[in-house]
Amino acid sequence: MRKLAICLLFAAVAASISWPQPACAQKFPEHPVRIIVGFTPGGPADSVARSIAERLTQKWGQPVIVQNMPGASGVIGANAVIRSAADGYTLLLADSSSFVILPHLRATLPFDPRTDFVPITIVARQAAVLAARKAFPPNNIPELIAYAKANPGKVTFGSFGVGTWSHVKMEEFAKTAGVKMLHVPYRGAAQVVTDMLADRIDLFLGAIGLFEAHEAAGRIKILATGAQARLPFRPEIPTIAESGLPGYSVSVWFGLVGPAGMPEAITNKIQQDITAVLADPVYQQKYLGPLRLQGSGESPAQFKVIVATEFESWRRVIKDLGISLTE
């Protein structure tokens, strides 16, 4: 507690004048750091957390351990972090779902993402695509819309949890297209892909990195991307917006946060060290490239603004859709 109080004092001073890093930040970390992921192993959030943990372990000389706490669309993991000491040793790898979507779907939530966490940095952004099982009759968005209209309620789409972006954006897709589809929530992205390969689910709006290997093997097909523009590394994939739903887009990020009250000096050190990792060409080639992720590295202040802006944007979308967690 004495070290934490000293850190807080130094952080307050450093906010107004130039000052060397406090001793607590210079020594951080002095023992293992834990990164909690609120989803199952094997999905994009888990992969991002493990790649960062590996490099930070090397950089810090202390183990950085990833702990999966799946359930309730990321709420269980997030709740565990806000109950932890605000010393930088327990962090959360959050995705945009739990921070800017879920609060508008639940009547009560054990945390407020804008006040109960300290934003550190956005680690990575990912390109979302709409994929289908290989035997699914439609091969593009116009065919999908026509097929869904001819078979109301029979087309199924999976998500990695009720209230996640993969769920809400498909609800928006259905409403905009004027079709009815059946939502099937899962506990993680890997499970959805497994059921797609087994022909138990028709569609999944997820990260492109989940699908490309299966696509190459002829077991899954990608219908379109949810990005605002065609992907530079896959320009042949049309956007959903250009395929009949103008204005439709999906923004997805993974960010590292800590519990409220973390010393600013430690927050800044973690952000700076992660930014250095993201800038490493070896890391980009080994981790970001295969996952089709783009490193980010915003400052804590920039990350805070992004959370606040997208929080309001998603609130308007969800209000317009009229959906809630009643499934």
Side-chain angles (χ1 to χ4, degrees), residues 129-138 144-145 147-160 166-167 170-171 173-174 179-186 191-206 211 221 223 327:
V129 297
L130 181 58
R133 59 185 177 88
K134 184 62 177 180
F136 189 56
L144 167 59
I145 294 173
Y147 184 84
K149 286 182 177 180
N151 298 274
K154 294 183 180 180
V155 175
T156 58
F157 71 90
S159 76
F160 45 87
S166 64
H167 167 213
M170 281 304 290
E171 295 286 5
F173 178 100
V179 300
K180 291 184 178 180
M181 297 189 289
L182 178 63
H183 175 220
V184 183
Y186 289 76
Q191 296 172 328
V192 192
V193 175
T194 297
D195 273 6
M196 286 184 71
L197 295 173
D199 285 330
R200 288 190 286 264
I201 201 82
D202 295 324
L203 303 168
F204 180 28
L205 181 67
F211 307 117
K221 54 188 176 183
L223 306 184
E327 300 178 54

Side-chain angles (χ1 to χ4, degrees), residues 184-268:
V184 183
Y186 289 76
R187 289 171 61 87
Q191 296 172 328
V192 192
V193 175
T194 297
D195 273 6
M196 286 184 71
L197 295 173
D199 285 330
R200 288 190 286 264
I201 201 82
D202 295 324
L203 303 168
F204 180 28
L205 181 67
I208 190 171
L210 291 169
F211 307 117
E212 284 190 306
H214 300 299
E215 179 195 30
R219 294 179 292 184
I220 277 179
K221 54 188 176 183
I222 295 175
L223 306 184
T225 175
Q228 291 183 334
R230 293 199 180 201
L231 306 174
F233 54 88
R234 291 292 304 274
E236 78 280 9
I237 301 176
T239 67
I240 293 176
E242 73 181 82
S243 301
L245 275 71
Y248 184 96
S249 66
V250 186
S251 172
V252 186
W253 46 260
F254 299 109
L256 199 67
V257 301
M262 266 181 57
E264 184 177 353
I266 290 179
T267 299
N268 289 337

